[in-house]
Amino acid sequence: MILDKSVLEIIEEIAAKYPGRVAIKSQDQSLTYGELWRRSDQLAAWLDDRLEDNKKPVMVYGHKNPQMIVCFLACVKSGRAYCPVDISMPKNRIEDIAAIIDNEVILASEPLEMEGFEVINASNVLCSDKNISREKRVKKEDVFYIIFTSGSTGKPKGVEITADNLKNFLGWSKELIDNALKGREKNGVFLNQAPFSFDLSVMDLYNSLVSGGTLLCLEKSLQADTARMFEYMSLGRPECWVSTPSFADMCLADPRFNGEMLEDIKLFLFCGERLSKDTAGKLMERFPAAKVINTYGPTESTVAVTSVEITKDMLAAEDLLPIGIPKKGTEILFDGEEMLIAGDTVAKGYFKDREKTEKAFFQLLDSDGKKCNVYRTGDSGYFKDGYYYCTGRIDLQVKLHGYRIELGDIESNLMELPEVEQAAVVPRYDGERIRNLVAFVKAPNLEGSFKVGRALRNALKEKLPAYMVPKNVVFVNEMPMTANGKLDRKKLEGSLA
Ligand code: AMP
């Protein structure tokens, strides 16, 4: 389906028709469509006055406060891209991102101190009742949002998604959801697990907003308390579940997680990492009335580009679960075993990083002679009997508990520590799944003990989000090398078995 209006126009229409309907709900706050529209208009007018010709993107810092969405819409209404940054980021990373974005104003819905920047608490500036002209809005090829992901050289990289990319993604994903939820009540509840700085959240947030649904946000603190989270979820009555498979596994570990607890669930939508047969099978057993859909895609191609509904036959087949078939407007190509994504949701590139952009993106002419963006995914895969399959990575990117991590990012940050001469980070597997990460460190001037290892981990925590900090540090005198003089990662991995 092609959306016949822009994303903002659709939300505007819903806000005018159903101003009292709840758009966003967190544990102790909620916001109606009417308020969301009015407050984001006011904030957009304020941004416009304050920033004038400065059209640089705006960082939006916080967690799952509904104010975050007010800020997102305000930025794009005022013609500026937004860049969501979650509270799970340590100060150093936030500073890195703020320096790349380089806008003097930062919007925040949680406390943040940043020297050299004006941090604005969004709720404190909603005083003017000015409207903002529609002409100012971000549109078409303009960047709508920038999401930062782990970069192999130790600094995060910002993926630029345009208004058209988002619209093309939503045209497809809305139809996918509408079909799966046939017979649903119109204004369904969408579950939000991922932080807004992770592109998976775009799937639930915007699909909910363009269908007049309610976004039920699961805050970090709630996710750490299963009993409370289950109670909250059950009362919230979600119909459409969007999460990483890892999060579903965490819920499945508790037998209470079943169709009686979540009576309205009709669809489980997954993306971001491999969906195992075990996870899909358990869900199909415990939620017989719900469909399980696997989707695949990187942030660089607006959340997801392929989909497939998992069937019992697929669970019984020898292959992995498929990632499905591409959406209209997208093709999966192969360069050797590497999958390339060509289509209308492929990002512009990495913000202010020509070198990385040129390495990962290029353009092709499509069958109508139109230019089409292509992204080299770094994923390996194959096509069989009508479906695509993703088998793994051809580089050093991993997924741990659903988080995208470049091992090189951790290694570069370790090697920036003065004592560390050489570092290699490898995954420790539990069957097919990564259980945790282990850092091998050569630091001749350090006494290799548990305590020193902990000190290195603490130093890393200052620079990287907690999920990127290796669980263990192993001190070595020399790193193992392969016959052609490269670091022997397989040997390091093997030593953990
Ligand atoms: P992110 O940009 O965080 O969404 O991560 C994108 C990467 O996650 C992809 O390049 C894949 O390596 C992996 N990924 C995403 N969806 C799937 C899936 N359904 N099956 C296997 N891997 C996936």
Side-chain angles (χ1 to χ4, degrees), residues 186-327:
K186 272 222 171 79
N187 49 338
V189 176
F190 288 71
L191 187 91
N192 159 265
Q193 169 250 325
F196 296 122
S197 55
F198 180 10
D199 88 324
L200 178 60
S201 67
V202 169
M203 179 101 90
D204 43 79
L205 169 62
Y206 284 101
N207 271 301
S208 183
L209 290 180
V210 299
S211 58
T214 297
L215 190 73
L216 185 69
C217 298
L218 301 181
E219 285 128 295
K220 208 174 154 190
S221 57
L222 198 61
Q223 292 186 24
D225 180 344
T226 312
R228 227 160 40 89
M229 178 176 76
F230 280 177
E231 195 188 327
Y232 176 77
M233 266 187 201
S234 170
L235 288 173
R237 306 189 77 98
E239 275 183 275
C240 178
W241 171 289
V242 180
S243 83
T244 56
S246 293
F247 181 73
D249 285 340
M250 194 190 96
C251 296
L252 281 166
D254 190 315
R256 287 173 296 180
F257 184 67
N258 58 35
E260 273 172 36
M261 187 188 116
L262 297 178
E263 288 177 50
D264 296 340
I265 283 280
K266 296 199 181 64
L267 171 62
F268 285 93
L269 256 183
F270 292 109
C271 192
E273 60 182 344
R274 180 177 295 168
L275 175 65
S276 72
K277 288 183 179 170
D278 184 52
T279 311
K282 280 186 183 147
L283 288 170
M284 285 156 75
E285 217 174 277
R286 291 207 212 165
F287 297 86
K291 291 181 172 165
V292 175
I293 292 186
N294 188 20
T295 73
Y296 156 88
T299 307
E300 285 84 343
S301 186
T302 325
V303 191
V305 290
T306 71
S307 70
V308 60
E309 183 183 338
I310 303 301
T311 63
K312 292 212 166 102
D313 286 348
M314 290 173 189
L315 295 180
E318 256 188 33
D319 293 276
L320 302 165
L321 289 180
I323 54 168
I325 52 168
K327 61 181 249 314

Side-chain angles (χ1 to χ4, degrees), residues 8 25 258 328 353 464 476:
L8 283 176
K25 198 177 161 344
N258 58 35
K328 210 164 167 260
D353 197 332
L464 297 172
V476 292

Side-chain angles (χ1 to χ4, degrees), residues 93 112 145 147 277 314 316 319 344 384 443 492:
R93 272 255 141 158
L112 174 71
Y145 65 77
I147 282 187
K277 288 183 179 170
M314 290 173 189
D319 293 276
D344 59 11
K384 185 180 161 190
L492 291 176

Side-chain angles (χ1 to χ4, degrees), residues 134-181:
R134 288 195 171 91
E135 294 303 306
K136 303 246 170 178
R137 291 178 184 174
V138 158
K139 48 185 140 332
K140 300 198 168 151
E141 298 282 302
D142 300 340
V143 180
F144 197 95
Y145 65 77
I146 298 178
I147 282 187
F148 276 81
T149 71
S150 176
S152 56
T153 51
K155 294 277 176 231
K157 52 189 193 215
V159 181
E160 296 181 298
I161 298 297
T162 66
D164 273 350
N165 290 154
L166 179 63
K167 184 175 160 185
N168 295 331
F169 163 71
L170 286 172
W172 165 73
S173 51
K174 183 171 186 307
E175 194 173 15
L176 183 74
I177 294 171
D178 283 350
N179 284 340
L181 297 182

Side-chain angles (χ1 to χ4, degrees), residues 16-34:
K17 248 188 183 161
Y18 311 104
R21 192 181 278 176
V22 174
I24 325 277
K25 198 177 161 344
S26 64
Q27 268 183 104
D28 43 28
Q29 277 168 309
S30 72
L31 196 71
T32 62
Y33 275 90

